[in-house]
Amino acid sequence: MTMEPFQYWLEVTLSSVPPVRAFMQTGWGWPAVESVHFLGLTLLFGSIAVWDMRLLGMVRGVPIAAFHRLVPFAVVGFAVNVASGSLFLMAEANQYLYNPAFHVKMLLVGLAGLNVLVFYVAIFRRLDRLGAGMATRAAQMSGAFSLIFWIGVIICGRLITFYRPTVCSPDRAAGLLADCILR
Amino acid sequence: MPTVTRLIVPFLRGRGVSGGPGRCSITAPVLDPFLIWLESTTFSTWMRESPSLFAFPMILAAHTIGLGLLAGVDVAHNLRVLGVAPGIPLAAFNRFLPVMWLGLGLNVMSGVALLIGYPTKALTNPVFYLKLFLVAVAVVLVVVIRRPRPHAPKRLAVVSLLCWAGAIVAGRLLAYTYTRLDALS
Protein backbone atom coordinates (compact mmCIF):
# COMPACT_ATOMS: atom_id res chain seq x y z
CA MET A 1 0.00 0.00 0.00
CA THR A 2 1.22 3.49 -0.77
CA MET A 3 -0.13 6.87 0.27
CA GLU A 4 1.56 8.68 -2.61
CA PRO A 5 -1.53 9.06 -4.86
CA PHE A 6 -3.41 10.47 -1.84
CA GLN A 7 -0.56 12.87 -1.08
CA TYR A 8 -0.55 14.09 -4.67
CA TRP A 9 -4.33 14.48 -4.73
CA LEU A 10 -4.14 16.44 -1.46
CA GLU A 11 -1.40 18.67 -2.86
CA VAL A 12 -3.43 19.51 -5.98
CA THR A 13 -6.63 20.05 -3.98
CA LEU A 14 -5.06 22.23 -1.27
CA SER A 15 -3.10 24.30 -3.75
CA SER A 16 -6.24 25.24 -5.66
CA VAL A 17 -7.60 27.71 -3.13
CA PRO A 18 -6.45 30.89 -4.95
CA PRO A 19 -7.27 33.62 -2.36
CA VAL A 20 -5.21 31.82 0.32
CA ARG A 21 -2.10 31.58 -1.84
CA ALA A 22 -2.43 35.20 -2.89
CA PHE A 23 -2.91 36.37 0.70
CA MET A 24 -0.02 34.33 2.07
CA GLN A 25 2.30 35.69 -0.61
CA THR A 26 1.73 39.30 0.43
CA GLY A 27 4.40 40.77 2.70
CA TRP A 28 2.27 40.49 5.82
CA GLY A 29 0.54 37.18 5.10
CA TRP A 30 3.07 34.62 6.25
CA PRO A 31 4.44 36.46 9.33
CA ALA A 32 0.91 37.34 10.50
CA VAL A 33 -0.36 33.76 10.23
CA GLU A 34 2.82 32.42 11.89
CA SER A 35 2.28 34.85 14.76
CA VAL A 36 -1.29 33.62 15.18
CA HIS A 37 -0.05 30.00 15.06
CA PHE A 38 2.36 30.70 17.94
CA LEU A 39 -0.31 32.53 19.97
CA GLY A 40 -2.56 29.49 19.50
CA LEU A 41 0.33 27.22 20.53
CA THR A 42 0.75 29.17 23.77
CA LEU A 43 -2.95 29.05 24.65
CA LEU A 44 -3.24 25.35 23.75
CA PHE A 45 -0.06 24.18 25.44
CA GLY A 46 -0.40 26.36 28.55
CA SER A 47 -4.00 25.35 29.30
CA ILE A 48 -3.48 21.68 28.59
CA ALA A 49 -0.16 21.50 30.47
CA VAL A 50 -1.77 22.89 33.66
CA TRP A 51 -4.60 20.34 33.30
CA ASP A 52 -2.13 17.51 32.64
CA MET A 53 0.00 18.50 35.65
CA ARG A 54 -3.10 18.36 37.88
CA LEU A 55 -3.86 14.86 36.54
CA LEU A 56 -0.26 13.91 37.31
CA GLY A 57 -0.74 14.87 40.95
CA MET A 58 0.20 18.53 41.31
CA VAL A 59 -2.12 20.72 43.45
CA ARG A 60 -3.90 17.61 44.73
CA GLY A 61 -5.92 19.66 47.23
CA VAL A 62 -7.97 21.28 44.46
CA PRO A 63 -10.76 19.22 42.79
CA ILE A 64 -9.94 17.99 39.30
CA ALA A 65 -13.28 19.38 38.11
CA ALA A 66 -12.09 22.94 38.91
CA PHE A 67 -9.12 22.52 36.58
CA HIS A 68 -11.33 21.06 33.86
CA ARG A 69 -12.62 24.60 33.19
CA LEU A 70 -9.27 25.30 31.48
CA VAL A 71 -9.74 22.59 28.85
CA PRO A 72 -12.08 24.65 26.59
CA PHE A 73 -9.28 27.22 26.24
CA ALA A 74 -6.99 24.49 24.99
CA VAL A 75 -9.68 23.58 22.47
CA VAL A 76 -9.82 27.21 21.32
CA GLY A 77 -6.02 27.24 20.95
CA PHE A 78 -6.22 24.02 18.95
CA ALA A 79 -8.94 25.42 16.67
CA VAL A 80 -6.87 28.58 16.06
CA ASN A 81 -3.92 26.40 15.10
CA VAL A 82 -5.88 24.08 12.83
CA ALA A 83 -7.14 27.20 11.01
CA SER A 84 -3.77 28.98 10.81
CA GLY A 85 -1.95 25.72 10.04
CA SER A 86 -4.35 25.04 7.17
CA LEU A 87 -3.37 28.37 5.61
CA PHE A 88 0.32 27.33 5.53
CA LEU A 89 -0.71 24.03 4.01
CA MET A 90 -2.84 25.65 1.30
CA ALA A 91 -0.15 28.22 0.49
CA GLU A 92 2.78 25.79 0.15
CA ALA A 93 1.18 22.33 0.08
CA ASN A 94 4.18 20.45 -1.30
CA GLN A 95 6.52 21.84 1.39
CA TYR A 96 4.42 20.10 4.05
CA LEU A 97 2.86 17.03 2.43
CA TYR A 98 6.25 15.49 1.55
CA ASN A 99 8.02 16.68 4.71
CA PRO A 100 8.91 13.91 7.24
CA ALA A 101 8.83 16.36 10.19
CA PHE A 102 5.29 17.34 9.16
CA HIS A 103 4.32 13.65 8.85
CA VAL A 104 5.50 12.95 12.42
CA LYS A 105 3.85 16.13 13.66
CA MET A 106 0.49 15.07 12.22
CA LEU A 107 0.95 11.57 13.66
CA LEU A 108 1.55 13.10 17.11
CA VAL A 109 -1.47 15.43 16.76
CA GLY A 110 -3.50 12.32 15.89
CA LEU A 111 -2.16 10.44 18.92
CA ALA A 112 -2.93 13.45 21.15
CA GLY A 113 -6.48 13.42 19.76
CA LEU A 114 -6.81 9.68 20.37
CA ASN A 115 -5.56 10.24 23.94
CA VAL A 116 -8.31 12.86 24.46
CA LEU A 117 -10.91 10.46 23.00
CA VAL A 118 -9.84 7.59 25.29
CA PHE A 119 -9.85 9.99 28.24
CA TYR A 120 -13.44 11.15 27.73
CA VAL A 121 -14.81 7.74 26.75
CA ALA A 122 -13.16 5.62 29.43
CA ILE A 123 -11.52 7.70 32.16
CA PHE A 124 -13.26 11.03 32.81
CA ARG A 125 -16.60 9.80 34.24
CA ARG A 126 -14.97 7.96 37.11
CA LEU A 127 -12.55 10.83 37.64
CA ASP A 128 -15.17 13.55 38.06
CA ARG A 129 -16.48 11.95 41.26
CA LEU A 130 -12.99 11.97 42.74
CA GLY A 131 -12.82 15.70 43.25
CA ALA A 132 -9.74 16.51 45.28
CA GLY A 133 -6.95 13.97 45.73
CA MET A 134 -4.86 11.84 43.45
CA ALA A 135 -6.23 11.06 39.99
CA THR A 136 -6.63 7.43 38.92
CA ARG A 137 -3.65 5.64 37.43
CA ALA A 138 -5.29 5.78 33.97
CA ALA A 139 -5.82 9.54 34.26
CA GLN A 140 -2.19 10.05 35.26
CA MET A 141 -1.15 8.08 32.17
CA SER A 142 -3.43 10.25 30.05
CA GLY A 143 -1.83 13.42 31.43
CA ALA A 144 1.68 12.09 30.84
CA PHE A 145 0.87 11.04 27.25
CA SER A 146 -0.69 14.43 26.55
CA LEU A 147 2.44 16.31 27.70
CA ILE A 148 4.70 14.00 25.69
CA PHE A 149 2.58 14.26 22.51
CA TRP A 150 2.21 18.05 22.62
CA ILE A 151 5.91 18.63 23.34
CA GLY A 152 6.60 16.30 20.41
CA VAL A 153 4.22 18.33 18.23
CA ILE A 154 6.12 21.53 19.12
CA ILE A 155 9.49 19.94 18.34
CA CYS A 156 8.33 18.50 15.00
CA GLY A 157 6.67 21.79 14.09
CA ARG A 158 9.95 23.61 14.51
CA LEU A 159 11.84 20.93 12.59
CA ILE A 160 9.60 21.26 9.49
CA THR A 161 11.78 24.00 8.05
CA PHE A 162 14.90 21.81 8.37
CA TYR A 163 13.33 18.94 6.41
CA ARG A 164 12.17 20.80 3.32
CA PRO A 165 11.64 18.19 0.60
CA THR A 166 13.40 18.28 -2.75
CA VAL A 167 11.94 17.02 -6.02
CA CYS A 168 11.91 13.20 -6.29
CA SER A 169 14.39 11.60 -8.65
CA PRO A 170 12.56 9.93 -11.57
CA ASP A 171 13.80 6.40 -10.82
CA ARG A 172 12.77 6.19 -7.16
CA ALA A 173 10.53 3.36 -5.99
CA ALA A 174 7.22 4.24 -4.34
CA GLY A 175 7.13 3.94 -0.55
CA LEU A 176 4.38 4.28 2.03
CA LEU A 177 4.79 8.06 2.20
CA ALA A 178 6.73 10.17 -0.28
CA ASP A 179 9.28 12.45 1.39
CA CYS A 180 10.18 14.21 -1.84
CA ILE A 181 8.02 16.35 -4.13
CA LEU A 182 6.09 14.19 -6.61
CA ARG A 183 5.60 15.26 -10.21
CA MET B 1 1.42 51.16 18.47
CA PRO B 2 1.90 53.55 15.48
CA THR B 3 5.60 53.72 16.42
CA VAL B 4 5.85 49.94 16.23
CA THR B 5 4.09 49.89 12.87
CA ARG B 6 6.43 52.57 11.53
CA LEU B 7 9.39 50.46 12.63
CA ILE B 8 8.15 47.17 11.20
CA VAL B 9 6.32 48.02 7.98
CA PRO B 10 9.36 49.15 5.95
CA PHE B 11 11.18 45.94 6.86
CA LEU B 12 8.29 43.77 5.76
CA ARG B 13 8.22 45.47 2.37
CA GLY B 14 11.15 43.33 1.45
CA ARG B 15 13.94 45.73 2.32
CA GLY B 16 16.97 44.04 3.74
CA VAL B 17 15.65 40.52 4.09
CA SER B 18 17.15 39.54 0.76
CA GLY B 19 20.54 40.60 2.05
CA GLY B 20 20.86 44.23 1.03
CA PRO B 21 23.12 46.45 3.14
CA GLY B 22 21.49 47.73 6.32
CA ARG B 23 20.51 51.25 5.42
CA CYS B 24 19.48 52.35 8.87
CA SER B 25 21.48 50.13 11.20
CA ILE B 26 20.92 51.17 14.78
CA THR B 27 24.22 49.59 15.79
CA ALA B 28 26.97 52.06 16.42
CA PRO B 29 30.05 51.15 14.36
CA VAL B 30 31.83 50.43 17.68
CA LEU B 31 29.70 47.33 18.06
CA ASP B 32 30.86 45.81 14.77
CA PRO B 33 34.31 44.62 15.94
CA PHE B 34 32.59 42.88 18.85
CA LEU B 35 30.07 41.24 16.51
CA ILE B 36 32.81 40.13 14.11
CA TRP B 37 34.73 38.62 17.03
CA LEU B 38 31.63 36.92 18.50
CA GLU B 39 30.66 35.40 15.17
CA SER B 40 34.18 33.99 14.78
CA THR B 41 34.01 32.05 18.07
CA THR B 42 33.73 28.28 17.96
CA PHE B 43 30.30 28.20 19.56
CA SER B 44 28.83 30.81 17.24
CA THR B 45 30.18 28.99 14.20
CA TRP B 46 28.83 25.69 15.56
CA MET B 47 25.36 27.24 16.00
CA ARG B 48 25.31 28.40 12.38
CA GLU B 49 27.12 25.61 10.59
CA SER B 50 26.66 22.35 12.50
CA PRO B 51 24.58 19.93 10.43
CA SER B 52 23.47 18.19 13.64
CA LEU B 53 19.79 18.16 14.50
CA PHE B 54 20.84 18.79 18.09
CA ALA B 55 22.55 22.07 17.25
CA PHE B 56 20.41 24.91 15.89
CA PRO B 57 17.15 22.99 15.19
CA MET B 58 16.74 21.43 18.66
CA ILE B 59 17.85 24.62 20.44
CA LEU B 60 15.17 26.45 18.46
CA ALA B 61 12.65 23.75 19.46
CA ALA B 62 13.74 24.07 23.12
CA HIS B 63 13.08 27.83 22.88
CA THR B 64 9.49 27.08 21.83
CA ILE B 65 8.99 24.49 24.60
CA GLY B 66 10.24 27.08 27.12
CA LEU B 67 7.72 29.51 25.63
CA GLY B 68 4.96 27.00 26.27
CA LEU B 69 6.07 26.34 29.86
CA LEU B 70 6.56 29.99 30.85
CA ALA B 71 4.14 32.05 28.75
CA GLY B 72 1.65 29.19 28.31
CA VAL B 73 1.26 28.40 32.02
CA ASP B 74 1.23 32.14 32.79
CA VAL B 75 -1.61 32.60 30.29
CA ALA B 76 -3.59 29.97 32.24
CA HIS B 77 -2.87 31.88 35.47
CA ASN B 78 -3.91 35.19 33.89
CA LEU B 79 -7.16 33.60 32.70
CA ARG B 80 -7.78 32.45 36.29
CA VAL B 81 -7.14 35.99 37.58
CA LEU B 82 -9.68 37.24 35.00
CA GLY B 83 -12.30 34.89 36.42
CA VAL B 84 -11.93 31.66 34.46
CA ALA B 85 -12.04 28.41 36.51
CA PRO B 86 -13.06 30.11 39.78
CA GLY B 87 -12.87 26.78 41.61
CA ILE B 88 -9.06 26.93 41.53
CA PRO B 89 -7.71 29.06 44.40
CA LEU B 90 -5.36 31.75 43.01
CA ALA B 91 -2.61 30.55 45.34
CA ALA B 92 -2.78 27.07 43.77
CA PHE B 93 -1.03 28.50 40.71
CA ASN B 94 2.07 29.18 42.83
CA ARG B 95 2.70 25.45 42.65
CA PHE B 96 3.36 25.81 38.93
CA LEU B 97 6.02 28.47 39.47
CA PRO B 98 8.90 25.95 39.37
CA VAL B 99 7.65 24.80 35.95
CA MET B 100 7.49 28.40 34.77
CA TRP B 101 11.00 29.15 36.06
CA LEU B 102 12.16 25.99 34.29
CA GLY B 103 10.69 27.45 31.10
CA LEU B 104 12.42 30.78 31.75
CA GLY B 105 15.77 29.04 32.38
CA LEU B 106 15.36 26.98 29.21
CA ASN B 107 14.63 30.11 27.20
CA VAL B 108 17.41 32.23 28.66
CA MET B 109 19.88 29.45 27.79
CA SER B 110 18.45 28.67 24.33
CA GLY B 111 17.95 32.38 23.66
CA VAL B 112 21.56 33.21 24.51
CA ALA B 113 22.72 30.33 22.29
CA LEU B 114 20.58 31.59 19.38
CA LEU B 115 21.87 35.12 20.00
CA ILE B 116 25.50 33.96 19.93
CA GLY B 117 24.77 32.17 16.66
CA TYR B 118 23.33 35.26 14.96
CA PRO B 119 24.26 38.29 17.12
CA THR B 120 24.21 40.87 14.32
CA LYS B 121 20.84 39.64 13.07
CA ALA B 122 19.25 40.26 16.49
CA LEU B 123 21.21 43.20 17.89
CA THR B 124 20.75 45.41 14.82
CA ASN B 125 16.98 44.81 14.80
CA PRO B 126 14.78 47.12 16.94
CA VAL B 127 12.15 44.37 17.11
CA PHE B 128 14.60 42.27 19.16
CA TYR B 129 14.79 44.95 21.87
CA LEU B 130 11.02 45.29 21.82
CA LYS B 131 10.74 41.54 22.39
CA LEU B 132 13.24 41.61 25.29
CA PHE B 133 11.39 44.53 26.89
CA LEU B 134 8.00 42.81 26.63
CA VAL B 135 9.41 39.54 28.04
CA ALA B 136 11.03 41.47 30.92
CA VAL B 137 7.74 43.19 31.80
CA ALA B 138 5.83 39.89 31.60
CA VAL B 139 8.37 38.11 33.83
CA VAL B 140 8.29 40.91 36.43
CA LEU B 141 4.47 40.66 36.35
CA VAL B 142 4.67 36.92 37.16
CA VAL B 143 5.97 38.00 40.58
CA VAL B 144 4.07 41.29 41.02
CA ILE B 145 0.66 39.83 40.17
CA ARG B 146 1.05 37.38 43.09
CA ARG B 147 1.43 40.07 45.77
CA PRO B 148 -1.41 39.94 48.30
CA ARG B 149 -4.09 42.51 47.48
CA PRO B 150 -7.79 42.97 48.26
CA HIS B 151 -9.04 42.46 44.69
CA ALA B 152 -8.00 40.17 41.85
CA PRO B 153 -5.42 42.15 39.80
CA LYS B 154 -7.36 41.91 36.56
CA ARG B 155 -5.62 44.87 34.93
CA LEU B 156 -2.22 43.31 35.54
CA ALA B 157 -3.49 40.05 34.01
CA VAL B 158 -4.56 41.92 30.87
CA VAL B 159 -1.20 43.73 30.69
CA SER B 160 0.59 40.39 31.13
CA LEU B 161 -1.45 38.73 28.35
CA LEU B 162 -0.73 41.67 26.03
CA CYS B 163 3.01 41.54 26.84
CA TRP B 164 3.20 37.84 26.08
CA ALA B 165 1.23 38.26 22.87
CA GLY B 166 3.49 41.14 21.85
CA ALA B 167 6.65 39.23 22.75
CA ILE B 168 5.51 36.18 20.77
CA VAL B 169 4.61 38.24 17.69
CA ALA B 170 7.87 40.21 17.96
CA GLY B 171 9.79 36.94 18.28
CA ARG B 172 8.15 35.57 15.16
CA LEU B 173 8.82 38.80 13.25
CA LEU B 174 12.57 38.53 14.02
CA ALA B 175 12.73 36.09 11.10
CA TYR B 176 11.29 38.72 8.75
CA THR B 177 12.48 42.13 9.92
CA TYR B 178 16.28 41.87 10.18
CA THR B 179 18.46 44.08 8.01
CA ARG B 180 21.82 42.37 8.51
CA LEU B 181 22.26 38.62 8.86
CA ASP B 182 25.86 38.82 10.09
CA ALA B 183 28.53 41.42 10.87
CA LEU B 184 30.15 41.13 7.44
CA SER B 185 26.96 41.70 5.46
Side-chain angles (χ1 to χ4, degrees), chain B residues 87-144:
Chain B
I88 310 173
L90 275 174
F93 272 89
N94 293 348
R95 301 286 289 277
F96 299 113
L97 277 173
V99 176
M100 293 167 68
W101 296 143
L102 174 74
L104 178 63
L106 199 60
N107 273 20
V108 169
M109 285 192 295
S110 54
V112 167
L114 293 165
L115 181 61
I116 292 174
Y118 291 93
T120 309
K121 187 182 175 186
L123 295 175
T124 59
N125 187 348
V127 180
F128 177 72
Y129 299 97
L130 176 67
K131 173 183 170 176
L132 283 195
F133 171 74
L134 292 169
V135 170
V137 174
V139 169
V140 168
L141 281 177
V142 170
V143 178
V144 170

Side-chain angles (χ1 to χ4, degrees), chain A residues 94-96 98-102 155-156 158-166 179, chain B residues 53 57:
Chain A
N94 65 16
Q95 291 299 310
Y96 295 95
Y98 308 115
N99 188 315
F102 181 74
I155 294 173
C156 290
R158 290 247 76 167
L159 293 187
I160 287 173
T161 187
F162 302 100
Y163 283 94
R164 292 196 177 169
T166 50
D179 57 3
Chain B
L53 205 57

Side-chain angles (χ1 to χ4, degrees), chain A residues 33-174:
Chain A
V33 178
E34 269 191 356
S35 297
V36 170
H37 203 65
F38 274 66
L39 294 173
L41 174 165
T42 310
L43 184 62
L44 162 59
F45 186 81
S47 319
I48 213 65
V50 168
W51 165 247
D52 291 337
M53 287 189 281
R54 172 61 187 89
L55 291 182
L56 283 168
M58 286 178 76
V59 213
R60 254 166 278 177
V62 179
I64 289 170
F67 276 90
H68 194 246
R69 296 279 189 94
L70 289 173
V71 174
F73 290 86
V75 175
V76 171
F78 182 70
V80 167
N81 277 16
V82 169
S84 50
S86 301
L87 294 180
F88 300 133
L89 204 55
M90 286 185 265
E92 297 286 350
N94 65 16
Q95 291 299 310
Y96 295 95
L97 294 172
Y98 308 115
N99 188 315
F102 181 74
H103 296 159
V104 179
K105 179 178 176 178
M106 289 304 106
L107 174 70
L108 289 169
V109 170
L111 287 172
L114 200 63
N115 189 46
V116 170
L117 194 70
V118 169
F119 180 80
Y120 283 109
V121 169
I123 301 169
F124 186 59
R125 276 162 54 103
R126 261 169 291 173
L127 200 64
D128 214 357
R129 267 178 273 143
L130 265 174
M134 203 65 192
T136 58
R137 197 100 194 120
Q140 292 174 44
M141 294 281 284
S142 176
F145 277 130
S146 169
L147 282 175
I148 292 167
F149 292 149
W150 288 119
I151 288 173
V153 167
I154 291 176
I155 294 173
C156 290
R158 290 247 76 167
L159 293 187
I160 287 173
T161 187
F162 302 100
Y163 283 94
R164 292 196 177 169
T166 50
V167 177
C168 298
S169 67
D171 56 341
R172 67 181 281 283

Side-chain angles (χ1 to χ4, degrees), chain B:
Chain B
M1 215 49 201
T3 318
V4 177
T5 316
R6 209 166 347 108
L7 282 173
I8 295 172
V9 169
F11 293 114
L12 286 178
R13 294 212 172 112
R15 195 181 68 177
V17 178
S18 54
R23 254 177 282 173
C24 62
S25 168
I26 58 159
T27 343
V30 287
L31 194 55
D32 271 25
F34 168 72
L35 295 172
I36 291 168
W37 166 79
L38 188 57
E39 284 169 10
S40 72
T41 59
T42 312
F43 183 73
S44 181
T45 310
W46 178 79
M47 279 295 294
R48 284 191 310 277
E49 294 176 11
S50 171
S52 169
L53 205 57
F54 292 93
F56 190 86
M58 283 309 275
I59 290 172
L60 192 64
H63 203 65
T64 315
I65 294 167
L67 158 73
L69 293 177
L70 176 60
V73 174
D74 201 37
V75 164
H77 178 239
N78 286 324
L79 289 173
R80 171 61 193 86
V81 172
L82 291 172
V84 168
I88 310 173
L90 275 174
F93 272 89
N94 293 348
R95 301 286 289 277
F96 299 113
L97 277 173
V99 176
M100 293 167 68
W101 296 143
L102 174 74
L104 178 63
L106 199 60
N107 273 20
V108 169
M109 285 192 295
S110 54
V112 167
L114 293 165
L115 181 61
I116 292 174
Y118 291 93
T120 309
K121 187 182 175 186
L123 295 175
T124 59
N125 187 348
V127 180
F128 177 72
Y129 299 97
L130 176 67
K131 173 183 170 176
L132 283 195
F133 171 74
L134 292 169
V135 170
V137 174
V139 169
V140 168
L141 281 177
V142 170
V143 178
V144 170
I145 204 170
R146 286 172 163 80
R147 286 196 189 141
R149 36 166 73 76
H151 301 290
K154 293 191 177 183
R155 272 187 204 169
L156 290 184
V158 171
V159 173
S160 172
L161 286 173
L162 291 175
C163 282
W164 283 130
I168 290 164
V169 172
R172 211 61 303 275
L173 293 186
L174 291 181
Y176 298 92
T177 54
Y178 64 91
T179 48
R180 292 169 68 193
L181 184 60
D182 54 54
L184 299 174
S185 66

